[in-house]
Amino acid sequence: MITLKSEREIEMMRKSGAILAGVHLGLRDIIKPGISSWDIEKFANAYIEEHHAKAEEKGFEGYKYATCVSVNDEVAHATPRKDLLLKNGDIVAVDMVVNLDGFMSDSCWTYAVGEISEEKQHLMDVTKKALYLGIDQAVIGNRIGDIGYAIQHYVEDENHMGDVRELIGHGIGPTMHEEPNVPHYGEPGKGLRLREGMTITIEPMVNLGTWEIASKQVPGDTWEYYVSADGTPSAQYEHTLVITKDGPKILTSQDPVEDAKYL
């Protein structure tokens, strides 16, 4: 079932999103060569708790952590690890969901660790722009396929990178994952029509090589995560947004200047 949110619900989701954005802003100073991916988990968990919110991923389908921390060729759902030290030249994507008094926000961001290659920087730039091209299509009367087509065309046709198919965006609130599904590929004019009050995530994952992914299992655990099938680096950017009569409005913005038109 798709729920259309009231002004009050949207405002509470915006407050939740502000907490999540605060974590990402703090991580800009935390992430550097030599820290472990567990240090990212500790910071995020503490920040969320200090702001009287809950890390919603904890306990979801058996997951144990506040964050997913995916490094280099890891595409999504990788766990934070005490023995995984970040190195100069790595890229790391940090994904989390914040629950503030029952109101959800979901956002992922990719960070450079120290000095990275031009190739990895280009991957990050393309992925971030793909997110915003998708957001631009999230207007009343458009269809889900318009979002996916804008992302896929830019990633694959213009930049010859891999637009991951298996992992997609989704509706959000009052639970973490709701209808509608929001693929990052598609045909313009196809799929569900977008309506005012819908809250969704758009979260493209882009591989430098193939769009295909493979699953791996955390050693000593049953948890599965995903890597690029060909071992190439992967990046992800994600926002939670609401569709309004004034266009898409980002609820997890980190930058009021860059995102001015979406606030």
Side-chain angles (χ1 to χ4, degrees):
M1 183 177 71
I2 297 171
T3 59
L4 303 179
K5 308 305 187 295
S6 68
E7 286 297 329
R8 174 185 168 275
E9 290 170 318
I10 292 166
E11 182 56 31
M12 287 301 298
M13 290 180 71
R14 185 176 286 110
K15 290 179 179 179
S16 172
I19 295 172
L20 203 166
V23 177
H24 280 305
L25 289 169
L27 287 175
R28 297 182 187 188
D29 296 325
I30 297 292
I31 292 175
K32 60 188 68 174
I35 73 161
S36 71
S37 65
W38 185 252
D39 292 324
I40 294 171
E41 166 74 9
K42 286 195 301 182
F43 173 80
N45 195 57
Y47 188 100
I48 292 167
E49 289 184 354
E50 287 167 5
H51 289 79
H52 312 291
K54 175 185 174 185
E56 188 68 10
E57 288 185 346
K58 277 188 180 181
F60 180 74
E61 297 182 348
Y63 196 66
K64 302 172 184 176
Y65 310 105
T67 61
C68 294
V69 183
S70 303
V71 180
N72 293 331
D73 68 326
E74 296 172 347
V75 176
H77 300 174
T79 59
R81 286 147 284 179
K82 295 178 181 178
D83 60 351
L84 177 57
L85 299 181
L86 301 182
K87 305 183 301 296
N88 189 64
D90 287 343
I91 58 173
V92 55
V94 183
D95 189 9
M96 72 198 86
V97 179
V98 168
N99 177 341
L100 177 65
D101 299 329
F103 296 91
M104 305 291 174
S105 58
D106 186 356
S107 179
C108 180
W109 218 250
T110 299
Y111 300 86
V113 182
E115 297 293 326
I116 63 172
S117 66
E118 290 184 7
E119 190 176 52
K120 284 183 175 177
Q121 186 62 59
H122 184 51
L123 170 66
M124 290 172 60
D125 292 344
V126 167
T127 309
K128 186 177 178 183
K129 184 172 178 179
L131 165 64
Y132 280 86
L133 289 172
I135 291 172
D136 285 338
Q137 295 299 315
V139 297
I140 295 169
N142 268 8
R143 294 184 180 272
I144 291 288
D146 295 315
I147 296 172
Y149 175 78
I151 292 169
Q152 184 180 20
H153 175 68
Y154 178 69
V155 169
E156 295 191 339
D157 298 337
E158 295 188 20
N159 286 282
H160 313 292
M161 296 180 183
D163 178 28
V164 172
R165 310 283 201 275
E166 291 95 330
L167 305 170
I168 60 178
H170 50 86
I172 182 170
T175 60
M176 189 190 312
H177 291 159
E178 297 190 352
E179 294 294 326
N181 290 331
V182 185
H184 307 110
Y185 58 92
E187 297 181 41
K190 301 291 186 180
L192 181 77
R193 194 176 295 280
L194 302 174
R195 298 175 58 191
E196 182 178 1
M198 292 172 64
T199 48
I200 61 173
T201 71
I202 301 177
E203 47 185 293
M205 285 145 272
V206 177
N207 299 338
L208 195 57
T210 180
W211 60 265
E212 295 176 305
I213 61 176
S215 62
K216 294 183 74 171
Q217 194 165 323
V218 175
D221 202 331
T222 59
W223 185 258
E224 285 192 343
Y225 63 100
Y226 299 97
V227 298
S228 62
D230 59 2
T232 55
S234 185
Q236 182 185 10
Y237 289 88
E238 173 189 14
H239 274 311
T240 297
L241 59 134
V242 58
I243 295 161
T244 79
K245 63 180 182 299
D246 299 317
K249 300 300 179 183
I250 295 173
L251 303 178
T252 48
S253 173
Q254 301 172 36
D255 189 336
V257 176
E258 181 180 33
D259 292 339
K261 67 180 280 190
Y262 305 106
L263 299 179

mmCIF file of all heavy atoms in Angstrom, residues 31-60:
data_model
loop_
_atom_site.group_PDB
_atom_site.id
_atom_site.type_symbol
_atom_site.label_atom_id
_atom_site.label_comp_id
_atom_site.label_asym_id
_atom_site.label_seq_id
_atom_site.Cartn_x
_atom_site.Cartn_y
_atom_site.Cartn_z
ATOM 1 N N ILE A 31 36.138 10.282 8.538
ATOM 2 C CA ILE A 31 36.672 9.321 7.563
ATOM 3 C C ILE A 31 38.026 9.785 7.033
ATOM 4 O O ILE A 31 38.132 10.835 6.396
ATOM 5 C CB ILE A 31 35.659 9.104 6.418
ATOM 6 C CG1 ILE A 31 34.420 8.378 6.965
ATOM 7 C CG2 ILE A 31 36.285 8.326 5.281
ATOM 8 C CD1 ILE A 31 33.295 8.216 5.972
ATOM 9 N N LYS A 32 39.038 8.982 7.322
ATOM 10 C CA LYS A 32 40.408 9.276 6.893
ATOM 11 C C LYS A 32 41.209 7.979 6.933
ATOM 12 O O LYS A 32 40.780 6.993 7.557
ATOM 13 C CB LYS A 32 41.047 10.330 7.788
ATOM 14 C CG LYS A 32 41.144 9.951 9.254
ATOM 15 C CD LYS A 32 41.607 11.115 10.113
ATOM 16 C CE LYS A 32 40.569 12.215 10.170
ATOM 17 N NZ LYS A 32 40.925 13.313 11.109
ATOM 18 N N PRO A 33 42.354 7.938 6.270
ATOM 19 C CA PRO A 33 43.160 6.713 6.304
ATOM 20 C C PRO A 33 43.500 6.312 7.740
ATOM 21 O O PRO A 33 43.830 7.157 8.576
ATOM 22 C CB PRO A 33 44.419 7.099 5.520
ATOM 23 C CG PRO A 33 43.973 8.193 4.599
ATOM 24 C CD PRO A 33 42.944 8.967 5.390
ATOM 25 N N GLY A 34 43.401 5.001 8.008
ATOM 26 C CA GLY A 34 43.787 4.472 9.307
ATOM 27 C C GLY A 34 42.643 4.154 10.240
ATOM 28 O O GLY A 34 42.811 3.380 11.192
ATOM 29 N N ILE A 35 41.462 4.762 10.022
ATOM 30 C CA ILE A 35 40.333 4.397 10.876
ATOM 31 C C ILE A 35 39.741 3.076 10.377
ATOM 32 O O ILE A 35 39.965 2.653 9.242
ATOM 33 C CB ILE A 35 39.239 5.483 10.909
ATOM 34 C CG1 ILE A 35 38.442 5.527 9.589
ATOM 35 C CG2 ILE A 35 39.825 6.845 11.256
ATOM 36 C CD1 ILE A 35 37.111 6.216 9.723
ATOM 37 N N SER A 36 38.996 2.421 11.249
ATOM 38 C CA SER A 36 38.305 1.199 10.841
ATOM 39 C C SER A 36 36.879 1.535 10.434
ATOM 40 O O SER A 36 36.341 2.589 10.820
ATOM 41 C CB SER A 36 38.291 0.182 11.983
ATOM 42 O OG SER A 36 37.417 0.610 13.022
ATOM 43 N N SER A 37 36.262 0.641 9.686
ATOM 44 C CA SER A 37 34.859 0.889 9.360
ATOM 45 C C SER A 37 33.990 0.810 10.619
ATOM 46 O O SER A 37 32.889 1.357 10.648
ATOM 47 C CB SER A 37 34.365 -0.068 8.271
ATOM 48 O OG SER A 37 34.353 -1.404 8.693
ATOM 49 N N TRP A 38 34.499 0.177 11.660
ATOM 50 C CA TRP A 38 33.781 0.145 12.937
ATOM 51 C C TRP A 38 33.746 1.530 13.583
ATOM 52 O O TRP A 38 32.776 1.875 14.268
ATOM 53 C CB TRP A 38 34.433 -0.860 13.881
ATOM 54 C CG TRP A 38 33.678 -1.036 15.161
ATOM 55 C CD1 TRP A 38 34.037 -0.587 16.405
ATOM 56 C CD2 TRP A 38 32.421 -1.692 15.327
ATOM 57 N NE1 TRP A 38 33.084 -0.921 17.333
ATOM 58 C CE2 TRP A 38 32.081 -1.615 16.703
ATOM 59 C CE3 TRP A 38 31.564 -2.345 14.454
ATOM 60 C CZ2 TRP A 38 30.903 -2.153 17.207
ATOM 61 C CZ3 TRP A 38 30.390 -2.888 14.950
ATOM 62 C CH2 TRP A 38 30.071 -2.791 16.316
ATOM 63 N N ASP A 39 34.765 2.336 13.369
ATOM 64 C CA ASP A 39 34.764 3.708 13.892
ATOM 65 C C ASP A 39 33.604 4.513 13.291
ATOM 66 O O ASP A 39 33.027 5.375 13.963
ATOM 67 C CB ASP A 39 36.089 4.407 13.576
ATOM 68 C CG ASP A 39 37.255 3.812 14.347
ATOM 69 O OD1 ASP A 39 37.059 3.420 15.510
ATOM 70 O OD2 ASP A 39 38.362 3.724 13.770
ATOM 71 N N ILE A 40 33.277 4.241 12.041
ATOM 72 C CA ILE A 40 32.133 4.893 11.400
ATOM 73 C C ILE A 40 30.846 4.486 12.100
ATOM 74 O O ILE A 40 29.988 5.326 12.407
ATOM 75 C CB ILE A 40 32.083 4.528 9.903
ATOM 76 C CG1 ILE A 40 33.292 5.122 9.174
ATOM 77 C CG2 ILE A 40 30.774 4.982 9.267
ATOM 78 C CD1 ILE A 40 33.456 4.643 7.748
ATOM 79 N N GLU A 41 30.705 3.196 12.375
ATOM 80 C CA GLU A 41 29.531 2.688 13.084
ATOM 81 C C GLU A 41 29.393 3.329 14.460
ATOM 82 O O GLU A 41 28.305 3.769 14.858
ATOM 83 C CB GLU A 41 29.639 1.165 13.223
ATOM 84 C CG GLU A 41 28.681 0.516 14.200
ATOM 85 C CD GLU A 41 27.244 0.436 13.719
ATOM 86 O OE1 GLU A 41 26.987 0.734 12.530
ATOM 87 O OE2 GLU A 41 26.362 0.073 14.521
ATOM 88 N N LYS A 42 30.491 3.407 15.191
ATOM 89 C CA LYS A 42 30.447 3.974 16.551
ATOM 90 C C LYS A 42 29.996 5.436 16.510
ATOM 91 O O LYS A 42 29.164 5.861 17.316
ATOM 92 C CB LYS A 42 31.824 3.870 17.222
ATOM 93 C CG LYS A 42 32.193 2.488 17.674
ATOM 94 C CD LYS A 42 33.374 2.509 18.654
ATOM 95 C CE LYS A 42 34.593 3.146 18.046
ATOM 96 N NZ LYS A 42 35.760 3.120 18.979
ATOM 97 N N PHE A 43 30.557 6.206 15.588
ATOM 98 C CA PHE A 43 30.183 7.618 15.498
ATOM 99 C C PHE A 43 28.710 7.771 15.148
ATOM 100 O O PHE A 43 27.983 8.551 15.778
ATOM 101 C CB PHE A 43 31.040 8.336 14.459
ATOM 102 C CG PHE A 43 30.595 9.744 14.192
ATOM 103 C CD1 PHE A 43 30.945 10.767 15.057
ATOM 104 C CD2 PHE A 43 29.786 10.048 13.106
ATOM 105 C CE1 PHE A 43 30.512 12.067 14.835
ATOM 106 C CE2 PHE A 43 29.349 11.338 12.870
ATOM 107 C CZ PHE A 43 29.709 12.356 13.738
ATOM 108 N N ALA A 44 28.257 7.042 14.136
ATOM 109 C CA ALA A 44 26.863 7.173 13.691
ATOM 110 C C ALA A 44 25.897 6.762 14.786
ATOM 111 O O ALA A 44 24.902 7.458 15.051
ATOM 112 C CB ALA A 44 26.643 6.325 12.441
ATOM 113 N N ASN A 45 26.176 5.653 15.429
ATOM 114 C CA ASN A 45 25.280 5.158 16.476
ATOM 115 C C ASN A 45 25.188 6.153 17.624
ATOM 116 O O ASN A 45 24.093 6.451 18.122
ATOM 117 C CB ASN A 45 25.782 3.804 16.975
ATOM 118 C CG ASN A 45 24.750 3.066 17.788
ATOM 119 O OD1 ASN A 45 23.647 2.805 17.339
ATOM 120 N ND2 ASN A 45 25.113 2.726 19.014
ATOM 121 N N ALA A 46 26.324 6.696 18.037
ATOM 122 C CA ALA A 46 26.325 7.658 19.141
ATOM 123 C C ALA A 46 25.581 8.937 18.756
ATOM 124 O O ALA A 46 24.799 9.476 19.558
ATOM 125 C CB ALA A 46 27.765 7.982 19.551
ATOM 126 N N TYR A 47 25.810 9.434 17.552
ATOM 127 C CA TYR A 47 25.148 10.670 17.105
ATOM 128 C C TYR A 47 23.636 10.501 17.083
ATOM 129 O O TYR A 47 22.889 11.370 17.560
ATOM 130 C CB TYR A 47 25.664 11.048 15.720
ATOM 131 C CG TYR A 47 25.200 12.419 15.242
ATOM 132 C CD1 TYR A 47 26.042 13.515 15.335
ATOM 133 C CD2 TYR A 47 23.928 12.608 14.698
ATOM 134 C CE1 TYR A 47 25.634 14.773 14.906
ATOM 135 C CE2 TYR A 47 23.511 13.855 14.270
ATOM 136 C CZ TYR A 47 24.360 14.933 14.378
ATOM 137 O OH TYR A 47 23.942 16.179 13.957
ATOM 138 N N ILE A 48 23.178 9.403 16.539
ATOM 139 C CA ILE A 48 21.734 9.167 16.457
ATOM 140 C C ILE A 48 21.125 9.087 17.853
ATOM 141 O O ILE A 48 20.082 9.701 18.129
ATOM 142 C CB ILE A 48 21.457 7.873 15.653
ATOM 143 C CG1 ILE A 48 21.854 8.077 14.176
ATOM 144 C CG2 ILE A 48 19.987 7.474 15.748
ATOM 145 C CD1 ILE A 48 21.910 6.795 13.380
ATOM 146 N N GLU A 49 21.780 8.364 18.758
ATOM 147 C CA GLU A 49 21.262 8.244 20.128
ATOM 148 C C GLU A 49 21.281 9.583 20.851
ATOM 149 O O GLU A 49 20.333 9.915 21.583
ATOM 150 C CB GLU A 49 22.075 7.206 20.900
ATOM 151 C CG GLU A 49 21.827 5.772 20.437
ATOM 152 C CD GLU A 49 22.570 4.748 21.273
ATOM 153 O OE1 GLU A 49 23.385 5.164 22.147
ATOM 154 O OE2 GLU A 49 22.337 3.545 21.071
ATOM 155 N N GLU A 50 22.334 10.373 20.649
ATOM 156 C CA GLU A 50 22.426 11.685 21.300
ATOM 157 C C GLU A 50 21.318 12.622 20.845
ATOM 158 O O GLU A 50 20.958 13.565 21.565
ATOM 159 C CB GLU A 50 23.788 12.314 21.002
ATOM 160 C CG GLU A 50 24.941 11.662 21.753
ATOM 161 C CD GLU A 50 26.297 12.082 21.205
ATOM 162 O OE1 GLU A 50 26.333 12.962 20.307
ATOM 163 O OE2 GLU A 50 27.314 11.518 21.661
ATOM 164 N N HIS A 51 20.768 12.381 19.672
ATOM 165 C CA HIS A 51 19.682 13.211 19.145
ATOM 166 C C HIS A 51 18.317 12.547 19.337
ATOM 167 O O HIS A 51 17.354 12.881 18.647
ATOM 168 C CB HIS A 51 19.944 13.543 17.671
ATOM 169 C CG HIS A 51 21.075 14.514 17.487
ATOM 170 N ND1 HIS A 51 22.392 14.150 17.552
ATOM 171 C CD2 HIS A 51 21.059 15.867 17.259
ATOM 172 C CE1 HIS A 51 23.160 15.218 17.375
ATOM 173 N NE2 HIS A 51 22.380 16.265 17.197
ATOM 174 N N HIS A 52 18.267 11.617 20.297
ATOM 175 C CA HIS A 52 17.005 11.012 20.756
ATOM 176 C C HIS A 52 16.252 10.309 19.638
ATOM 177 O O HIS A 52 15.020 10.320 19.582
ATOM 178 C CB HIS A 52 16.115 12.069 21.419
ATOM 179 C CG HIS A 52 16.844 12.901 22.431
ATOM 180 N ND1 HIS A 52 17.293 12.391 23.629
ATOM 181 C CD2 HIS A 52 17.239 14.206 22.401
ATOM 182 C CE1 HIS A 52 17.919 13.337 24.316
ATOM 183 N NE2 HIS A 52 17.905 14.449 23.587
ATOM 184 N N ALA A 53 17.023 9.693 18.752
ATOM 185 C CA ALA A 53 16.434 8.936 17.659
ATOM 186 C C ALA A 53 16.946 7.498 17.731
ATOM 187 O O ALA A 53 17.740 7.127 18.604
ATOM 188 C CB ALA A 53 16.778 9.581 16.317
ATOM 189 N N LYS A 54 16.503 6.693 16.792
ATOM 190 C CA LYS A 54 16.832 5.276 16.763
ATOM 191 C C LYS A 54 17.432 4.916 15.409
ATOM 192 O O LYS A 54 16.959 5.386 14.372
ATOM 193 C CB LYS A 54 15.562 4.446 17.013
ATOM 194 C CG LYS A 54 15.739 2.949 16.904
ATOM 195 C CD LYS A 54 14.402 2.246 17.049
ATOM 196 C CE LYS A 54 14.526 0.748 16.794
ATOM 197 N NZ LYS A 54 13.204 0.076 16.810
ATOM 198 N N ALA A 55 18.458 4.078 15.439
ATOM 199 C CA ALA A 55 19.032 3.539 14.203
ATOM 200 C C ALA A 55 18.148 2.374 13.758
ATOM 201 O O ALA A 55 18.206 1.294 14.321
ATOM 202 C CB ALA A 55 20.464 3.083 14.438
ATOM 203 N N GLU A 56 17.342 2.615 12.742
ATOM 204 C CA GLU A 56 16.276 1.673 12.386
ATOM 205 C C GLU A 56 16.801 0.389 11.748
ATOM 206 O O GLU A 56 16.110 -0.638 11.778
ATOM 207 C CB GLU A 56 15.294 2.359 11.426
ATOM 208 C CG GLU A 56 14.045 1.563 11.122
ATOM 209 C CD GLU A 56 13.116 1.403 12.320
ATOM 210 O OE1 GLU A 56 13.324 2.067 13.354
ATOM 211 O OE2 GLU A 56 12.166 0.607 12.210
ATOM 212 N N GLU A 57 17.996 0.409 11.190
ATOM 213 C CA GLU A 57 18.511 -0.811 10.575
ATOM 214 C C GLU A 57 18.829 -1.891 11.605
ATOM 215 O O GLU A 57 18.855 -3.075 11.280
ATOM 216 C CB GLU A 57 19.758 -0.504 9.736
ATOM 217 C CG GLU A 57 19.445 0.245 8.452
ATOM 218 C CD GLU A 57 20.670 0.427 7.567
ATOM 219 O OE1 GLU A 57 21.800 0.209 8.046
ATOM 220 O OE2 GLU A 57 20.500 0.794 6.397
ATOM 221 N N LYS A 58 19.096 -1.486 12.848
ATOM 222 C CA LYS A 58 19.394 -2.468 13.890
ATOM 223 C C LYS A 58 18.185 -3.380 14.094
ATOM 224 O O LYS A 58 17.079 -2.915 14.399
ATOM 225 C CB LYS A 58 19.715 -1.767 15.212
ATOM 226 C CG LYS A 58 21.135 -1.292 15.336
ATOM 227 C CD LYS A 58 21.359 -0.801 16.765
ATOM 228 C CE LYS A 58 22.756 -0.316 16.989
ATOM 229 N NZ LYS A 58 22.966 0.132 18.383
ATOM 230 N N GLY A 59 18.406 -4.674 13.935
ATOM 231 C CA GLY A 59 17.327 -5.633 14.129
ATOM 232 C C GLY A 59 16.498 -5.904 12.887
ATOM 233 O O GLY A 59 15.642 -6.799 12.900
ATOM 234 N N PHE A 60 16.727 -5.160 11.808
ATOM 235 C CA PHE A 60 15.945 -5.356 10.583
ATOM 236 C C PHE A 60 16.434 -6.602 9.867
ATOM 237 O O PHE A 60 17.579 -6.667 9.441
ATOM 238 C CB PHE A 60 16.055 -4.126 9.680
ATOM 239 C CG PHE A 60 15.287 -4.252 8.393
ATOM 240 C CD1 PHE A 60 13.908 -4.154 8.390
ATOM 241 C CD2 PHE A 60 15.936 -4.473 7.186
ATOM 242 C CE1 PHE A 60 13.183 -4.273 7.212
ATOM 243 C CE2 PHE A 60 15.226 -4.587 5.999
ATOM 244 C CZ PHE A 60 13.847 -4.496 6.020
#
